[in-house]
Amino acid sequence: MRVLSGIQPTGRFHWGNYFGAIRQYIALQNEEESYYFIANLHALNTIRDPAVLRELTLEAAIDLLALGLDPEKATLFVQSDVPEVSELCWLLMTGAPMGLLERCHAYKDKKERGLTAEAGLFTYPVLMAADILAYDANIVPVGHDQVQHIEVCRDLAGSFNHQFGEVFVLPKSKVLDDSAKVPGTDGEKMSKSYDNTIGLFEDPKKARKKIMRITTDSRPMAEPKDPQTDHLYQLYSLFADAAQREAMAEKYRAGGFGYGEVKKALANAAEAYFSEARQRREHLVAHPEEVRQVLAAGAKKARKKAGEVLLRAQRACGVATE
Ligand code: TYM
């Protein structure tokens, strides 16, 4: 089984990205052959500053490696380093129904808000399909928001196969368990667009300040509270082990404590949780050439696979001359 997923370098990664997606990519590298890439071509839809896009792409690679993505086990590369994907995208585009793309939520949402969308946003799911099909991926781990795109990928692959023969492997999505469960500092889902994130490698002092400002309700200290309905407890649970979680839950149920105490425990737990990754990150930031080597080796391997699949598709539809 081959696992593949992509992540856009549209900002520095936060707790939601890690617990919702990255942690699970890293776990899967031990079980399956895995390909992970940084989707800079998709990010170009929103980031129009070349220096920023370049920097965020490298930062994304640094963060993924620091967090434990192991290039000995998983293939890590940058989307645009595999130009075969863009060629494959065109082959798929010629058979992609407008109506199918008009129903895709990224485009639809923008249009409904009265904004004009670019062709890049409209055809975004076709590029995503090419990303997946180019590597004969079987499983695509994603959050709920991407499931529709995997369905589009299956549709496009299915109709190409129907017209031209069995060229593509039809992938399945694997919906990441925790994808909806990481609350932000305001209790809503943690997301860059809500401005409620805490960065993975933020300056610890700044992160601590944000944690101390997490919204809480105004119930008096003495009152017992239900830990399961409290977003501060949910955040603490992400970092704590089972015994620590239970001890904290007990405090909630007993009452007689302030939320400040939980916030301090959360800040300490989060700092400890990412401290090894932070050290690895410091090393990588000082040695970007090591990161570039990993990406170059990943791209080489990815291109070999994508080249085979592209040729298969070109031959099947008659655009290859041999
Ligand atoms: P992107 O970069 O928006 O998000 C990367 C992955 O993280 C998931 N995710 C979340 N999970 C949990 N909690 C959240 N708050 C949260 N926010 C995002 C997303 O569902 C996603 O799985 N189009 C893709 C990138 C892509 C791709 C691909 C993915 C391009 N080509 C091919 C898979 C296969 C995207 O924008 O993800």
Side-chain angles (χ1 to χ4, degrees):
M1 285 288 168
R2 184 172 297 128
V3 170
L4 169 134
S5 202
I7 190 159
Q8 288 197 60
T10 41
R12 296 300 309 281
F13 297 140
H14 53 73
W15 291 359
N17 297 134
Y18 178 73
F19 291 103
I22 298 169
R23 181 176 61 164
Q24 309 186 54
Y25 299 162
I26 291 169
L28 278 167
Q29 75 185 359
N30 297 317
E31 291 168 32
E32 309 285 354
E33 183 189 357
S34 15
Y35 281 62
Y36 295 117
F37 65 91
I38 299 158
N40 61 340
L41 293 175
H42 278 105
L44 192 56
N45 278 311
T46 45
I47 303 184
R48 307 297 292 176
D49 179 330
V52 171
L53 183 57
R54 251 190 300 273
E55 188 187 320
L56 286 174
T57 303
L58 184 66
E59 292 278 358
I62 290 177
D63 286 1
L64 291 169
L65 293 170
L67 289 165
L69 204 97
D70 180 352
E72 298 289 318
K73 295 179 182 163
T75 305
L76 175 67
F77 58 100
V78 175
Q79 186 181 29
S80 62
D81 285 344
V82 186
E84 288 77 4
V85 166
S86 299
E87 291 194 43
L88 189 57
C89 178
W90 179 258
L91 301 188
L92 295 168
M93 200 95 86
T94 55
M98 293 286 286
L100 181 69
L101 302 182
E102 274 161 4
R103 286 194 295 279
C104 286
H105 59 71
Y107 168 74
K108 212 169 130 205
D109 292 353
K110 191 156 183 184
K111 228 178 141 234
E112 276 166 9
R113 280 187 285 138
L115 303 168
T116 49
E118 288 75 28
L121 184 72
F122 184 64
T123 54
Y124 171 118
V126 189
L127 179 58
M128 193 161 153
D131 284 330
I132 298 167
L133 300 173
Y135 307 101
D136 286 338
N138 309 98
I139 302 171
V140 187
V142 282
H144 294 278
D145 60 325
Q146 298 297 323
V147 172
Q148 183 188 40
H149 297 151
I150 314 298
E151 287 309 311
V152 169
C153 173
R154 288 175 59 88
D155 276 6
L156 297 178
S159 73
F160 194 97
N161 285 355
H162 183 70
Q163 288 177 52
F164 300 120
E166 288 303 304
V167 172
F168 296 124
V169 172
L170 261 57
K172 285 208 175 89
S173 53
K174 174 181 161 67
V175 182
L176 302 169
D177 314 335
D178 289 331
S179 49
K181 290 187 197 152
V182 181
T185 50
D186 55 359
E188 298 299 320
K189 177 178 163 174
M190 188 175 287
S191 162
K192 208 175 54 142
S193 40
Y194 299 155
D195 196 20
N196 64 359
T197 62
I198 303 176
L200 293 180
F201 298 116
E202 225 174 291
D203 170 53
K205 273 194 200 135
K206 279 196 193 144
R208 206 165 265 270
K209 267 195 189 151
K210 282 191 184 172
I211 292 168
M212 297 315 285
R213 283 200 300 262
I214 291 176
T215 50
T216 50
D217 62 32
S218 53
R219 280 175 299 175
M221 267 177 73
E223 198 175 303
K225 299 166 188 85
D226 177 6
Q228 299 311 330
T229 58
D230 183 54
H231 57 267
L232 191 53
Y233 178 79
Q234 281 167 24
L235 285 173
Y236 178 74
S237 300
L238 294 170
F239 298 101
D241 62 29
Q244 289 168 321
R245 270 201 293 274
E246 191 36 45
M248 185 60 87
E250 200 39 58
K251 281 192 175 182
Y252 268 76
R253 288 190 283 264
F257 74 98
Y259 284 118
E261 203 181 308
V262 192
K263 289 176 178 176
K264 271 191 203 134
L266 170 61
N268 292 341
E271 220 172 292
Y273 192 94
F274 290 120
S275 78
E276 263 181 44
R278 192 181 281 275
Q279 277 172 22
R280 279 197 295 265
R281 189 172 179 281
E282 273 163 24
H283 171 85
L284 294 167
V285 169
H287 299 90
E289 69 287 354
E290 286 180 20
V291 181
R292 292 209 171 86
Q293 263 169 27
V294 167
L295 294 175
K300 192 170 170 211
K301 188 169 168 208
R303 281 196 79 171
K304 184 166 181 293
K305 180 70 202 164
E308 290 163 17
V309 176
L310 176 63
L311 189 59
R312 214 158 72 202
Q314 287 172 324
R315 283 187 172 142
C317 68
V319 299
T321 45
E322 10 136 17

